[in-house]
Amino acid sequence: MSVSSEQKVEHEVAGPAPHAAPAAAGTSWWKDEAQEPLRRNLGLVGVLLALFAIGAYIRPDLYSDADWVVNNIMVILTQAAAIGVVTVGMTFVIIGGGIDLSVGALIALSGVWATTLATQSFGPVGMIFTAVAVGIGAGLVNGALIAYGRLVPFIATLAMLVAARGLAAQISGKQTQISADQFINSLATTRIGGIPLLVIILLVVAGLGWVLLNRTTFGRRTVAIGGNAEAARLAGINVRGHTMLLYALSGLCCGIAAIMLTSLATSSQAAAAELYELDAIAAAIIGGTLLSGGRGTIVGSLFGVIVFSAITNLFAIANLPTEVQNMVKGAIIVVAVLLQQVRFSSITQFARRHGLTRAKPQT
Amino acid sequence: MTNPIPDTSRRRLLFGGTAIAAGALLTACTSNEQTPTPAQTKGADDTNPNAAAGKAVTIGFSAPAADHGWIAAITNNAKAQAGAYKDVTFKQVEAGKDAAAQRAALDTLIAEKPDVIVLLPHDGKELNAFGLKAMEAGIPVVNLDRAFPDALAYRLQIKGDNYGMGVAAGHYIGKALKAKNVASPIIGEIAGMDELELTQERSAGFKAALATYGFAVANRRAARFTADSGQKEAQNLLQALPKIDAVWNHDDDQGIGVLAAITAANRSEFFMVGGAGSKKAIEDIAADKTVLKATVTYSPSMASSAISLARLIAQGRGMSDLVELQVPKEVILASETITKENASTYLKLGF
């Protein structure tokens, strides 16, 4: 990968307004698009309020206790923390036109690698470093296979999913590895100003992700590549190098999530973080990220994660079985995607056909 | 490193240096050296007349390579028990990732004509045909834990008792709550993977045993046999039930996460019963510092027993305590209850 050529591009592209990227992707009616995330996020807040109302209706005894309600919100957010961090990385990958099926396996691998007896002997710094380094390393392998090996992202990360779980099982000897490190274990129980540390980590990661996506050339290039990779390449963006970095970013998020999950469960194992890839993709999609790339928001993905976490919590409180919960989750994904299609293809086309919008808005 | 832009050069140097340091540390981090736990074997130096060396036999063995401590213990125990006999040659084949792979591996094993095959199938129903084939070829099959539907497909069936596990947990909780005079207790249950038949059997046994005391489960959550899923489900269960009297958690591996959630929530008004009997759980019970007061066993020591019985079958001998001259056709292990009082006796069976 040629660092210098990318440097050059950065100097050239950094100057113009960030709107240059969507224009390069060849999207029209972006003004309408700009309104969409806000509408969608309001919709998700509405869903959260509805879930709260249903809970209050089913268990008035619990919801009438203010302390319990505050604590329950913290529980929902804590459970959203690890998967939320992963979803931030996933959102970048999907916006960039890819997909990362290996996130659950990478969390397991990072977690297992960070909790071997040898790693634990290096203390919390060694454990955190190992988890993050393993995540980034595996992410770079994904990225290199996709960007330079020209593998389809689906295939490359599927292979990583299988291989990483295998390696994790090999390292752990199929045993559950208990974390004896008090510092790591205390992360899950620490609260700062009444807010769990894990939730603060999630907010920090999401905040950094938001800045990276919306206020840097890196983020704008990600949108450009996802919108139209060929146009982005012709505009002088190092598409391959950038794609590789996106998967490394996803791997980094997996490493952070691995530490969070290890702290919560005071242990790690090769089967941990089961199906996190699907949860993260589903959350990104109901948050408004387009699976074909080029569009998505961090805030929307975050709401998506919290909605799923709130549903799990509500089902537990209502004592309903897991199978019903999974069916409801499936239905929510379908409805969210249907809404996406209805809003964007039919309505805008209908509007354009009847001359309700300008044929070519400002670019 | 002769790049004209100094900024890039520094970045490269830093990046390269970090990468090398990372590689060095990471390779040092995969070691899991630990004092080996004593295997769950019955030594050949007993006064047991069956321990005396007999005809030399070859035992073929196959178990799935699952990511679970219990399956790992099954394979380790079988290997260790076979090693304890001088007259046994142990031949293990990899079971692969699914029933088809296991079938293929077992076919090669049949061709090698072992005297007996001990097998923990991926799925009893799917491997049934293999059992029939091996038996027809004159090789006795010992089915470990996952039953074949067809009685012709095995010589010996040895398994744990999932329903009995639930019953044991139910009785422990029922008796303890009766002793405390709790009138209408709130009982929580954290099950394992809900789509597995064994989970349903465990829950059915638990429900039936509790019913004999007039008790019922207030809230049941299903986890995935992993610590992180156990933590999540336990956290939600604790939210749903602000006051609890007792909890049964089906699996000690996921119990690590369950205990973490309970500790994090600062809850101690109830007691918990575990399942399976892991070393960590038995140690916790003996130390008596957590809410975990008992666990009901589903011990992987059954693999050791299966090897011992397979050896007797191959040698044409019976179990010395029984009158019969041959090994029985079915052995179902009782689920035992480990408490603080007997934890020291069971510690050697923990996995």
Side-chain angles (χ1 to χ4, degrees), chain A residues 1-4 7 10 59 62 68 71-73 75 78-79 113 115-119 122 126 129-130 133-134 140 165 169 171-178 188-189 261 263-267 269-274 276 279 312-313 315-323 325 329, chain B residues 3 5 7-8 11-12 15 18 21-23 25-34 64-73 76 193-194 217-222 224-228 231-233 235-242 253-254 256-257 260-261 263-265 280 351:
Chain A
M1 155 186 174
S2 61
V3 179
S4 56
Q7 279 302 115
E10 193 156 0
R59 290 291 298 269
L62 295 178
W68 183 89
N71 191 39
N72 197 44
I73 291 172
V75 165
T78 309
Q79 294 192 352
W113 209 322
T115 52
T116 58
L117 293 173
T119 314
F122 287 96
F129 171 79
T130 305
V134 168
L140 281 172
R165 290 244 184 242
I171 292 172
S172 65
K174 299 161 205 163
Q175 299 287 350
T176 302
Q177 295 183 162
I178 294 162
T189 49
L261 217 54
S263 168
L264 277 170
T266 66
S267 64
Q269 66 195 129
E274 189 188 43
Y276 267 38
D279 284 349
T312 309
N313 179 264
F315 272 77
I317 285 163
N319 191 21
L320 286 166
T322 323
E323 49 267 31
Q325 177 184 320
K329 279 187 183 175
Chain B
N3 201 298
I5 306 169
D7 190 36
T8 312
R11 189 187 288 180
R12 272 189 180 174
F15 186 75
T18 316
L25 181 52
L26 283 179
T27 42
C29 286
T30 52
S31 160
N32 254 328
E33 288 306 319
Q34 190 180 20
D67 302 337
H68 196 254
W70 190 86
I71 294 273
N76 292 342
M193 293 164 80
D194 225 3
V217 174
N219 199 323
R220 177 182 185 278
R221 301 283 94 212
R224 310 289 306 169
F225 285 149
T226 57
D228 62 319
Q231 189 274 339
K232 187 172 150 193
E233 296 302 338
Q235 205 175 21
N236 281 327
L237 183 82
L238 295 175
Q239 278 305 107
L241 305 173
D253 254 17
Q254 78 186 19
I256 295 167
T263 312
K280 169 89 165 59
F351 61 92

Side-chain angles (χ1 to χ4, degrees), chain B residues 49-212:
Chain B
N50 275 338
K55 185 181 81 160
V57 293
T58 303
I59 299 178
F61 179 81
S62 167
D67 302 337
H68 196 254
W70 190 86
I71 294 273
I74 283 279
T75 307
N76 292 342
N77 286 344
K79 227 182 262 177
Q81 182 65 56
Y85 295 115
K86 287 196 181 68
D87 48 2
V88 167
T89 309
F90 188 69
K91 203 175 270 292
Q92 187 189 354
V93 291
E94 288 297 327
K97 65 183 191 331
D98 56 18
Q102 191 175 26
R103 211 176 287 132
L106 285 166
D107 281 340
T108 62
L109 189 61
I110 289 192
E112 292 183 36
K113 293 237 170 271
D115 297 290
V116 56
I117 291 176
V118 178
L119 157 73
L120 196 153
H122 270 285
D123 183 310
K125 293 187 189 85
E126 287 186 70
L127 266 298
N128 186 54
F130 166 79
L132 286 171
K133 189 167 145 193
M135 290 290 282
E136 271 168 31
I139 304 169
V141 174
V142 175
N143 179 312
L144 188 50
D145 199 44
R146 296 181 190 167
F148 293 139
D150 199 335
L152 287 175
Y154 59 90
R155 165 64 185 83
L156 166 67
Q157 165 74 64
I158 176 166
K159 61 177 182 179
D161 185 5
N162 284 302
Y163 187 87
M165 237 179 122
V167 170
H171 279 311
Y172 180 87
I173 288 175
K175 274 186 198 138
L177 291 177
K178 279 282 179 212
K180 283 193 203 166
N181 274 327
V182 187
S184 52
I186 294 165
I187 300 169
E189 181 182 0
I190 299 172
M193 293 164 80
D194 225 3
E195 64 271 28
L196 297 182
E197 204 178 331
L198 67 94
T199 299
Q200 292 151 23
E201 287 174 8
R202 288 177 187 184
S203 285
F206 187 53
K207 196 177 164 190
L210 284 181
T212 62

